[in-house]
Amino acid sequence: MTVFVIRRLLQAALVMIIMSLLVFGGVFLVGDPVEMLVADDADQAERQAIIKSMGLDLPFYMQYLRFIGNALQGDMGNSFVFQEPAMELILERMPATFELAIAALLIAVVIGIPLGIYAGLKADSWMSKTIMTASILGFSVPTFWVGIMMILFFAVILGWLPSTGRGDTVELFGIPVSFLTLDGLQHLILPAVNLALFKLSMVIRLARAGTREVVHQDYIKFARAKGLSTGRIIGVHLFKNIMIPVVTVLGLEFGGLIAFSVVTETVFAWPGMGKLLIDSIGFLDRPVIVAYLLFVVGLFVFINLVVDVLYSVLDPRVRLQEVKS
Amino acid sequence: MSDQATLEVRNLQTHFFTKAGVVKAVNDVSFSVGKGKILGLVGESGSGKTVTGFSILGLVDEPGRVVGGEILYRGENLVGASQERMRQLRGNNVAMIFQDPMMTLNPVLRIDTQMIEAIKAHHKVTDDEARQRARDALGQVGIPSPDERLKSYPHQFSGGMRQRVAIAIALLNKPDLIVADEPTTALDVTIQGQILYEVQKLCAETGTAMIWITHDLSVVAGLADEVAVMYAGRVVEAGKVDDVLDAPMHPYTAGLIGSVPSRNARGKRLHQIPGMTPSLLNLPEGCAFAARCNYATAACEQPPALENAAGARQIRCHHPLVAEAV
Ligand SMILES: Nc1ncnc2c1ncn2[C@@H]1O[C@H](COP(=O)(O)OP(=O)(O)OP(=O)(O)O)[C@@H](O)[C@H]1O
Ligand code: SF4
Ligand SMILES: [Mg+2]
């Protein structure tokens, strides 16, 4: 197990190095930040001074090394717009994004797994067909459009739920969260459902496919031959087996959820990292963009690692192989 | 048999309604097993042995259905019994050991979980009591250090060990009837012998009735009291093991036993009869064995009925073989 984790950590470091090169290189090519930084009426000398102080006159590889050197010390540069460290800006907004993503994940799992199991067990019923059709819609209709429709329907026409912002927050272990206040919870519902729809469709399909495969296995029939109740057969024997692919994919997709929240956060003006990214792109706020991208890549890598470990906990067969290797 | 049989199957018919047509997997099967007796159910691959076993436990899945006959468990007809009644009987009164030991245990649950739940599904006992019984059952089938083994997962066992666990699970609630579907095929000969011995002892001691499904006539010869031979979903011959094996009356049974119809054939696998089993989708009008039978005549175009013969024998043939004096 330790060997396995160390090997994965080395792979993760390699991925981070490659990604930092790509991200930094990409942003380097995109635009010249100098225009952003110098005042309109600055003269040539002031201009040169700023370029020099930022190290923008150095060749690409020098700039990159400088950036990496600072980054390793936790310094991703200051935001051009806010004049604050970029990393701090991101971390400040992280709880909002995480809250949204976790709420979406919960919705996807709590609703998706029972629906998927049902659709797998009763494949021919009209209910199952309705569920599957809805899941295709969930896959194919764009998130932003659904978000706008949700606002139109639930916020504008019915006036049931608020459509922008986080609402009231309270501190939980020093982190501001919305879901513990009624107002915050109401604010959370629409964006969380919006972000969940895609994953919900996926969970339904995974659970259904898993159920259809597992339900025909001999061990399910044997469980029935033991006289177990249907509840136990579905809730333990079937559930545990279909959870292996569901957890793997969901874990891997959690990073995707955070990346996708860019759209949802923008539509619902949810003050998270995704909205910060879109705003920063608008202002060509290079340090924030780079910091965000690297942060999300790091998150992906970390999540992959956690999923691998979790997977081996869920599936005893994997566990054994690792002990051997 | 004066007292009531533990299980009596009468004219059982189980069909599968597939897109290609109706597969008559079990098409008129009758037999009975008494307390403490072992019935060998023998036949080629695809003759409907497993489907017969599943029918008894009410485990036939779509598109299959029991379409006719009766399954009398101590006089109670299980055909048409409620789901809940079947659940109560399964694993408690009637247990089954499956054909493929690699697939019968749930790969993500520990052995103890899978054994304890089987007890608790039927009896109000504490976890400790259930664990104790699970451990005893593992010991009974010859699994060394059962305490440790209880904590293992199925993939940590060999095929033979898994089958022994499955047998132990079948024994857990001391059922009246065990349907054992080729349970020893995956085991090596010594262990097979050991298990057969244990099973025989168990049946004699506890009065458990057993249906032992197999390809292997030699196993039946040493183990069973009675034998029923199946062909294309029907019982073609049944009777006391010694009678049937020493003097088969049905040409198919004779073919199975091969040229030496004696128990000297011990250890020998089923002799291959030339030709193929007819498609169950499209059975011939008359005797299903006619195409492969050396004794077939025009009369065989009419379906033969299962008829009683001397010495508690039953035979489904227009031209039964006459026992030769040995
Ligand atoms: N779900 C099903 N759908 C259609 N046909 C089926 C189904 N299950 C079984 N059958 C058919 O029923 C027939 C009898 O099968 P069964 O498994 O009982 O044979 P068997 O005697 O146990 O053979 P083996 O010795 O190979 O285990 C087979 O021809 C098979 O094709
Ligand atoms: S009925 Fe005719 S074809 Fe069938 S087994 Fe007897 S002799 Fe052969
Ligand atoms: Mg079989």
Side-chain angles (χ1 to χ4, degrees):
Chain A
M1 194 72 178
T2 334
V3 181
F4 165 75
V5 171
I6 291 172
R7 205 164 51 204
R8 294 307 309 257
L9 280 174
L10 288 177
Q11 283 172 6
L14 190 69
V15 170
M16 286 304 291
I17 292 173
I18 294 173
M19 276 313 294
S20 65
L21 257 175
L22 285 177
V23 169
F24 192 80
V27 176
F28 184 85
L29 289 177
V30 165
D32 185 359
V34 178
E35 296 305 331
M36 283 283 309
L37 293 172
V38 288
D40 289 341
D41 53 354
D43 62 19
Q44 203 56 26
E46 278 172 338
R47 227 183 139 84
Q48 285 306 324
I50 289 178
I51 289 177
K52 200 148 188 84
S53 79
M54 301 282 303
L56 292 173
D57 54 338
L58 297 171
F60 172 74
Y61 75 94
M62 284 296 287
Q63 286 193 34
Y64 175 71
L65 286 180
R66 243 174 86 150
F67 164 74
I68 288 292
N70 289 335
L72 285 179
Q73 292 161 33
D75 176 12
M76 306 284 278
N78 279 354
S79 158
F80 299 158
V81 177
F82 297 92
Q83 304 302 333
E84 272 178 59
M87 210 54 215
E88 254 170 49
L89 283 173
I90 288 170
L91 291 179
E92 244 168 48
R93 285 160 176 77
M94 194 174 76
T97 297
F98 268 62
E99 183 174 20
L100 185 62
I102 290 170
L105 195 69
L106 279 179
I107 292 173
V109 169
V110 171
I111 299 178
I113 288 180
L115 287 185
I117 291 179
Y118 179 86
L121 291 176
K122 301 229 149 83
D124 293 327
S125 74
W126 65 267
M127 255 294 269
S128 303
K129 287 179 182 148
T130 314
I131 293 171
M132 295 326 288
T133 313
S135 86
I136 293 175
L137 279 182
F139 262 127
S140 40
V141 180
T143 308
F144 77 89
W145 186 80
V146 177
I148 292 169
M149 287 302 122
M150 283 167 73
I151 291 178
L152 186 67
F153 200 69
F154 292 103
V156 179
I157 298 180
L158 293 174
W160 287 353
L161 292 165
S163 65
T164 52
R166 278 187 93 177
D168 296 340
T169 58
V170 288
E171 300 243 319
L172 183 70
F173 307 118
I175 299 165
V177 293
S178 296
F179 75 97
L180 288 178
T181 67
L182 184 64
D183 183 54
L185 197 60
Q186 284 173 344
H187 278 83
L188 183 59
I189 291 176
L190 285 184
V193 169
N194 182 234
L195 186 58
L197 282 181
F198 190 83
K199 299 289 170 249
L200 177 65
S201 305
M202 197 179 67
V203 172
I204 290 177
R205 306 215 133 234
L206 279 173
R208 183 183 97 116
T211 302
R212 287 181 60 125
E213 191 193 319
V214 168
V215 82
H216 293 296
Q217 297 290 322
D218 266 6
Y219 57 77
I220 295 293
K221 204 165 210 168
F222 191 64
R224 281 162 66 201
K226 291 194 293 191
L228 303 186
S229 65
T230 312
R232 181 156 179 103
I233 293 171
I234 293 174
V236 177
H237 285 253
L238 184 115
F239 180 77
K240 278 216 166 190
N241 278 284
I242 66 166
M243 279 316 275
I244 294 172
V246 172
V247 167
T248 313
V249 175
L250 272 189
L252 294 176
E253 290 278 333
F254 186 70
L257 212 49
I258 287 177
F260 259 103
S261 71
V262 170
V263 176
T264 299
E265 284 180 12
T266 309
V267 172
F268 290 90
W270 186 263
M273 303 188 296
K275 187 156 181 312
L276 175 70
L277 174 72
I278 297 295
D279 294 345
S280 304
I281 291 175
F283 297 129
L284 269 181
D285 196 348
R286 194 157 110 173
V288 179
I289 300 173
V290 171
Y292 173 86
L293 291 176
L294 283 184
F295 181 79
V296 169
V297 171
L299 205 66
F300 263 89
V301 169
F302 175 73
I303 288 169
N304 274 335
L305 191 70
V306 172
V307 169
D308 278 342
V309 173
L310 210 63
Y311 185 66
S312 71
V313 172
L314 264 181
D315 192 340
R317 288 162 294 190
V318 178
R319 218 177 303 162
L320 188 79
Q321 280 161 16
E322 270 142 29
V323 172
K324 277 182 190 153
S325 71
Chain B
M1 231 181 295
S2 54
D3 53 344
Q4 193 178 49
T6 304
L7 184 83
E8 189 174 351
V9 174
R10 285 192 198 147
N11 310 105
L12 178 69
Q13 289 183 300
T14 304
H15 296 176
F16 289 90
F17 299 86
T18 65
K19 290 205 182 75
V22 181
V23 180
K24 295 177 179 161
V26 174
N27 198 18
D28 195 5
V29 162
S30 303
F31 56 75
S32 71
V33 224
K35 210 162 179 273
K37 297 283 188 222
I38 300 177
L39 169 81
L41 195 59
V42 191
E44 281 173 307
S45 190
S47 55
K49 307 182 296 290
T50 299
V51 174
T52 303
F54 284 156
S55 303
I56 294 169
L57 276 90
L59 289 177
V60 178
D61 286 320
E62 289 289 313
R65 220 176 332 128
V66 175
V67 292
E70 291 177 327
I71 297 166
L72 301 172
Y73 166 72
R74 295 172 137 188
E76 175 186 353
N77 191 0
L78 302 186
V79 175
S82 74
Q83 298 270 347
E84 176 54 19
R85 179 64 188 142
M86 287 312 291
R87 188 201 67 72
Q88 287 169 356
L89 291 174
R90 279 199 289 261
N92 195 27
N93 305 65
V94 185
M96 183 160 176
I97 303 160
F98 285 16
Q99 196 162 0
D100 183 358
M102 298 312 275
M103 303 300 296
T104 40
L105 298 173
N106 193 322
V108 301
L109 298 177
R110 278 178 12 182
I111 301 298
D112 52 0
T113 314
Q114 302 193 46
M115 294 188 84
I116 290 169
E117 68 179 4
I119 300 172
K120 294 190 112 184
H122 302 287
H123 302 283
K124 281 209 176 346
V125 293
T126 64
D127 276 359
D128 281 344
E129 280 168 316
R131 178 176 297 275
Q132 179 66 42
R133 270 166 71 177
R135 187 187 319 150
D136 293 347
L138 286 185
Q140 211 176 344
V141 293
I143 290 184
S145 49
D147 268 316
E148 242 167 77
R149 289 320 223 153
L150 274 177
K151 296 202 190 80
S152 312
Y153 285 91
H155 68 266
Q156 291 163 300
F157 288 80
S158 68
M161 282 292 230
R162 286 191 212 190
Q163 192 63 305
R164 285 205 250 177
V165 172
I167 295 172
I169 290 176
L171 299 179
L172 275 177
N173 292 315
K174 307 203 167 36
D176 300 328
L177 173 71
I178 299 178
V179 179
D181 195 354
E182 313 220 19
T184 55
T185 320
L187 307 182
D188 66 54
V189 181
T190 19
I191 295 164
Q192 189 173 330
Q194 185 189 334
I195 297 241
L196 292 182
Y197 171 75
E198 285 285 343
V199 162
Q200 223 164 5
K201 206 173 80 175
L202 180 97
C203 287
E205 280 171 5
T206 62
T208 303
M210 171 103 63
I211 296 171
W212 194 275
I213 296 174
T214 181
H215 282 107
D216 194 343
L217 269 179
S218 63
V219 168
V220 169
L223 178 77
D225 302 294
E226 289 175 43
V227 63
V229 180
M230 283 185 70
Y231 185 77
R234 289 195 174 95
V235 170
V236 293
E237 178 164 16
K240 295 220 164 56
V241 162
D242 292 346
D243 296 351
V244 173
L245 294 191
D246 288 347
M249 289 169 76
H250 196 283
Y252 175 66
T253 318
L256 279 184
I257 297 168
S259 50
V260 201
S262 82
R263 291 211 263 145
N264 301 339
R266 207 185 161 82
K268 223 173 112 179
R269 274 306 177 110
L270 288 193
H271 164 82
Q272 277 286 309
I273 304 167
M276 284 207 328
T277 353
S279 157
L280 297 176
L281 275 171
N282 194 11
L283 286 171
E285 278 271 316
C287 175
F289 188 58
R292 301 164 80 183
C293 180
N294 293 332
Y295 305 88
T297 63
C300 304
E301 281 163 31
Q302 294 303 313
L306 193 64
E307 276 162 30
N308 291 326
R313 289 280 283 272
Q314 288 169 307
I315 172 98
R316 188 194 295 275
C317 176
H318 291 302
H319 310 292
L321 307 179
V322 185
E324 290 159 33
V326 186

